[in-house]
Amino acid sequence: QLQVVESGGDLVQPGGSLTLSCLGVGFTLDYYVIGWFRQAPGKEREGVLCSSKGDRDTYYADSVKGRFTISRDNAANAVYLQMNNLKPEDTGVYYCGADYRATVQAMCSPGWRPFGSWGQGTQVTVSS
């Protein structure tokens, strides 16, 4: 099981920014394709950004293009989701996931599931 711990969620106003963190527990995140997912109230979980090893290839959901980016801190075994110009529709619980072999498109597709279980996620609320 690839255990991850998400953090950094908060209440922010529309137009604001927020950075989420994903820490790998017991494995090295840099060796994996990383995906960020969100689940809005009453909706299915969706992939918003998935990035290949070394971030050579990144998939962005249309709704976050130009606003969300990913970065890695290998020394900290962490991956970050930088979210700018947040909108109320960005509200939801955000999860990260890791996959050794998936393409970024496959990982961000509706059918992807983590090996094991999802983390606890972190709540992002965008509201004035």
Side-chain angles (χ1 to χ4, degrees), residues 56-118:
R56 295 181 184 87
D57 186 21
T58 303
Y59 167 90
Y60 300 89
D62 288 342
S63 59
V64 306
K65 281 180 182 176
R67 302 188 299 120
F68 288 15
T69 57
I70 191 172
S71 62
R72 300 184 189 230
D73 182 342
N74 295 334
N77 200 29
V79 176
Y80 306 101
L81 180 67
Q82 175 67 44
M83 305 185 294
N84 298 322
N85 189 23
L86 282 162
K87 304 176 180 181
E89 52 264 41
D90 294 318
T91 294
V93 181
Y94 283 70
Y95 303 85
C96 70
D99 194 305
Y100 194 72
R101 294 181 176 149
T103 65
V104 295
Q105 291 81 6
M107 190 171 186
C108 266
S109 69
W112 187 84
R113 296 292 182 270
F115 178 67
S117 58
W118 291 97

Side-chain angles (χ1 to χ4, degrees), residues 10 12 16 18 22-23 30 40 64 76 79 82 101 110-112 118 123 128:
D10 205 346
V12 295
L18 198 60
C22 171
L23 298 182
D30 194 43
V64 306
V79 176
Q82 175 67 44
R101 294 181 176 149
W112 187 84
W118 291 97
Q123 175 71 47
S128 54

